[in-house]
Amino acid sequence: QVQLVESGGGSVQAGGSLRISCTASGDTYSMYCMAWFRQAPGKEREGVAGIDRGGGRTHYPDSVKGRFTISRDNAKNTLYLQMNSLKAEDTAMYYCAARYSGWYGCPEGEPALADFGYWGQGTQVTVSS
């Protein structure tokens, strides 16, 4: 099974940019569908970006569409989330998540909690206004 470790979180002013990363180990990374979720204090965890095994298909909720970009480098076993035009409401713990694909494709649409079984410990992103 895959192990996930996030990095790159930090503090940034509103309007700024930040890129966070997730490094995978322990299994064949390219066989996994990947996603980023976030959870703010007192709120439920929500999906902010999903990507298929090859990186050709991505999905975002309206709240981040046009500002966030998910990508992956299968040669480096790494997942990225580029976040631009950050807002105070983007402040949250950001989690990397994986789903073994096997013979099946990756889920379509906004990433859903129930579709992903492997999680990292999270990296904090704080946006000050």
Side-chain angles (χ1 to χ4, degrees), residues 81-96:
L81 184 67
Q82 177 68 44
M83 301 180 287
N84 299 328
S85 302
L86 282 161
K87 306 174 181 180
E89 51 263 42
D90 294 319
T91 295
M93 185 72 78
Y94 282 72
Y95 297 91
C96 171

Side-chain angles (χ1 to χ4, degrees), residues 28-108:
T28 305
Y29 175 64
S30 60
M31 294 296 291
Y32 286 81
C33 313
M34 300 297 296
W36 286 100
F37 289 77
R38 69 184 180 188
Q39 187 167 20
K43 295 189 176 182
E44 294 185 351
R45 193 170 297 189
E46 62 174 353
V48 295
I51 191 167
D52 68 357
R53 289 166 48 184
R57 293 179 67 86
T58 57
H59 304 280
Y60 307 91
D62 289 342
S63 59
V64 306
K65 197 172 293 183
R67 300 189 299 121
F68 288 12
T69 302
I70 188 172
S71 62
R72 66 190 295 167
D73 186 335
N74 286 349
K76 295 182 178 180
N77 288 0
T78 304
L79 179 74
Y80 303 99
L81 184 67
Q82 177 68 44
M83 301 180 287
N84 299 328
S85 302
L86 282 161
K87 306 174 181 180
E89 51 263 42
D90 294 319
T91 295
M93 185 72 78
Y94 282 72
Y95 297 91
C96 171
R99 169 192 172 97
Y100 185 75
S101 174
W103 292 105
Y104 304 99
C106 293
E108 295 288 326

